[in-house]
Amino acid sequence: MGQFVLECLAVCLLITLVRCQQNGTFTFATSGDVGGGATDTPPGVDRLQRSSQKFALQFYQYVTELVDYNPNVTTTNIIVSPFSAWNLLTLITEGASGRTLEELLIALDVQQQEQIRNYYKPFAQSFSLLDRDVQLAAAQYVITDENRPVSKDFESALDNFYSPSVLQPMNFANRSLTYERVNRLVSDATQGHIPKAIEMSDLEDARLIMLSVLFFQGQWTIPFNRSFTTNVPFYDENEQPIGMVEMMFQRGIFPFAGYKELDAQILELPYGANRRLSMLLIMPRKGVPLVEVIRKLVAYGIDRVFDELDRSLVDFDDDEVEVHLPKFEFNSDYNLIPILNQMGIREAFDSGVANFDKISDLNAIYISSVIQQTKIVVNEEGTMTTAVTTGVFANKATPPRFLANRPFGFMIVNRQQRTILFAGQVKRPNLV
């Protein structure tokens, strides 16, 4: 037996610096280039889910625009974790006041901080899955300098409204030990796939470090067959060939719909036996840039996407879909401040006006960087048996086809809550 396994992981890192007492500024560097729920969901949790959805789609839009339009960004593939960023910002609200807090809540689409405090725990509880074919783990850490302790109220808020394990005091004076411990936290949470989240230089002026880690590994509910993978051309958005890719293939009954309002087709491929998580593959119509589809998706909403996918299974319950999907693997490493600026968060990053007086009575800190490291792997292992190979096909004439041989988008979602865990685009898969 063989399977296609998808691995996806993200680390969102925030570093606060001590504000300069004079007019100087700090500099920093980064290395390298991430619905409604069930009907019985309490209203407060449902509202938080919807806030996460809205944030995720806007975040996805601004990332694709940054990559497509900023000449300083040389990458074309994207993998980010909107949920990891959203998670990190919810923790940040506990230390913020005034306009700094107001900007954070507006970007999070939360009217009052009490909504987060009251419903974060039940909302986040569903983001830990561990079974035979799907693993999903989320972890958040606030790493403080034990030589410059944070306020007791801040500690209590993290303990009461989030988790007792969130707060991790360390001795920043011992930079080598702190460096080792922080990176070990991330390595353990991502099963060794991201061994280093910070550099030694990040600790020089750091007052506090926040981490949000999300790890996902899943097997397709209906595996692809390795023997059907072939080398085929892949094209850019101008329909020019860029090279050959390993194209996977299968035929099966999947949610699949065309969206006139989006100028796109969307296919859903589920993970695991319980199908709680799935990948949504977004293919624009020919001649339509992917970034335009993502923009329209923000207004369209994830609920309507799933409503149409569910309707497709009812209307075409026995229709199979031919799925052609390239193998791909890549990393992303972004400083998220330009994206969060676009979403209206500005004061938090300004050393002159940032208000984090709930973290420290001195109110002498601001956010110097928000870094997200993300990795995605879609690959195959082993071989399929002949019986399974034969079972892929059915006696159907001209089934509908999802052919991802040109740039496409994707989202990995919690289907029940309709929460977007990861999102990205593939414009240049691994060439052969």
Side-chain angles (χ1 to χ4, degrees):
M1 293 294 291
Q3 64 209 20
F4 282 87
V5 177
L6 186 143
E7 285 184 348
C8 210
L9 50 137
V11 174
C12 205
L13 165 70
L14 173 148
I15 300 176
T16 64
L17 299 183
V18 179
R19 182 179 299 145
C20 286
Q21 301 302 314
Q22 299 179 0
N23 293 328
T25 59
F26 289 112
T27 60
F28 60 90
T30 61
S31 60
D33 276 295
V34 168
T39 55
D40 59 349
T41 302
V45 176
D46 181 73
R47 180 67 184 87
L48 210 56
Q49 290 172 3
R50 292 179 183 276
S51 297
S52 173
Q53 290 172 19
K54 182 177 179 181
F55 174 88
L57 290 175
Q58 290 179 334
F59 185 85
Y60 190 15
Q61 173 191 342
Y62 288 129
V63 172
T64 55
E65 290 177 347
L66 176 70
V67 169
D68 281 13
Y69 299 142
N70 190 325
N72 297 320
V73 179
T74 57
T75 185
T76 56
N77 296 326
I78 298 171
I79 171 65
V80 291
S81 174
F83 181 73
S84 182
W86 185 89
N87 236 343
L88 186 70
L89 294 176
T90 60
L91 290 178
I92 296 172
T93 65
E94 290 299 336
S97 297
R99 179 64 183 171
T100 302
L101 175 61
E102 183 181 339
E103 289 181 352
L104 288 166
L105 294 179
I106 291 173
L108 290 168
D109 191 37
V110 174
Q111 293 178 342
Q112 296 179 338
Q113 193 174 26
E114 291 304 312
Q115 290 178 254
I116 300 174
R117 290 177 166 179
N118 292 338
Y119 301 109
Y120 178 87
K121 279 186 177 180
F123 174 51
Q125 281 173 354
S126 64
F127 292 98
S128 291
L129 297 174
L130 180 60
D131 57 33
R132 181 176 56 84
D133 43 19
V134 174
Q135 295 180 56
L136 179 66
Q140 289 74 45
Y141 301 108
V142 177
I143 301 162
T144 61
D145 184 357
E146 59 189 25
N147 302 303
R148 294 177 291 186
V150 296
S151 74
K152 294 298 182 182
D153 288 344
F154 182 62
E155 288 187 7
S156 297
L158 296 178
D159 186 73
N160 293 332
F161 303 122
Y162 300 91
S163 168
S165 63
V166 166
L167 199 64
Q168 298 280 332
M170 297 186 187
N171 181 7
F172 283 24
N174 189 336
R175 286 170 54 192
S176 60
L177 180 59
T178 301
Y179 168 82
E180 179 184 337
R181 289 181 63 189
V182 171
N183 286 323
R184 189 187 308 126
L185 278 175
V186 174
S187 180
D188 290 347
T190 62
Q191 299 190 13
H193 290 282
I194 296 183
K196 188 194 309 185
I198 65 170
E199 301 291 342
M200 188 76 76
S201 59
D202 292 327
L203 294 170
E204 289 181 3
D205 300 297
R207 176 69 180 272
L208 177 145
I209 296 173
M210 291 186 176
L211 292 170
S212 178
V213 182
L214 188 63
F215 176 79
F216 167 67
Q217 184 174 25
Q219 300 175 18
W220 302 119
T221 302
I222 303 175
F224 287 77
N225 188 311
R226 186 173 187 175
S227 65
F228 294 153
T229 300
T230 57
N231 295 343
V232 302
F234 194 88
Y235 301 87
D236 63 19
E237 289 185 322
N238 297 316
E239 299 187 41
Q240 298 300 309
I242 64 171
M244 304 292 286
V245 299
E246 291 183 277
M247 186 69 74
M248 308 184 292
F249 171 80
Q250 70 163 302
R251 186 187 295 174
I253 299 173
F254 301 105
F256 178 52
Y259 296 80
K260 184 177 180 181
E261 298 93 332
L262 301 179
D263 287 319
Q265 296 175 323
I266 297 181
L267 170 75
E268 181 180 3
L269 296 180
Y271 295 107
N274 60 24
R275 299 174 180 247
R276 287 181 62 183
L277 302 179
S278 59
M279 175 180 278
L280 302 184
L281 295 159
I282 306 164
M283 176 57 67
R285 298 186 191 278
K286 284 190 176 181
V288 178
L290 178 59
V291 67
E292 293 296 331
V293 175
I294 303 305
R295 282 181 183 144
K296 294 175 182 178
L297 184 61
V298 174
Y300 192 80
I302 199 71
D303 280 346
R304 294 176 66 189
V305 168
F306 276 111
D307 289 345
E308 196 64 34
L309 289 172
D310 291 342
R311 192 175 299 116
S312 74
L313 284 181
V314 174
D315 294 343
F316 309 101
D317 61 338
D318 62 344
D319 282 3
E320 293 182 322
V321 181
E322 283 190 357
V323 180
H324 303 258
L325 180 66
K327 295 169 60 175
F328 58 94
E329 174 181 348
F330 52 85
N331 304 311
S332 292
D333 191 345
Y334 296 111
N335 186 344
L336 300 183
I337 288 181
I339 298 161
L340 298 177
N341 281 163
Q342 285 285 97
M343 300 183 73
I345 302 175
R346 296 183 177 89
E347 271 205 5
F349 312 117
D350 188 329
S351 62
V353 296
N355 187 349
F356 289 104
D357 61 350
K358 288 192 287 186
I359 295 179
S360 168
D361 293 337
L362 297 176
N363 192 24
I365 58 176
Y366 70 103
I367 300 173
S368 67
S369 64
V370 182
I371 304 164
Q372 186 172 91
Q373 300 179 46
T374 320
K375 177 182 179 181
I376 186 168
V377 181
V378 180
N379 62 9
E380 63 183 359
E381 299 173 356
T383 60
M384 276 289 185
T385 65
T386 303
V388 175
T389 300
T390 305
V392 171
F393 293 97
N395 294 321
K396 296 282 290 183
T398 61
R401 183 171 67 160
F402 184 90
L403 177 59
N405 66 346
R406 51 193 171 85
F408 61 93
F410 64 89
M411 295 184 289
I412 297 173
V413 299
N414 179 314
R415 202 188 204 287
Q416 182 180 16
Q417 293 189 332
R418 301 185 176 182
T419 302
I420 302 168
L421 305 176
F422 297 91
Q425 69 180 23
V426 178
K427 290 196 170 183
R428 190 179 179 87
N430 305 79
L431 302 179
V432 295

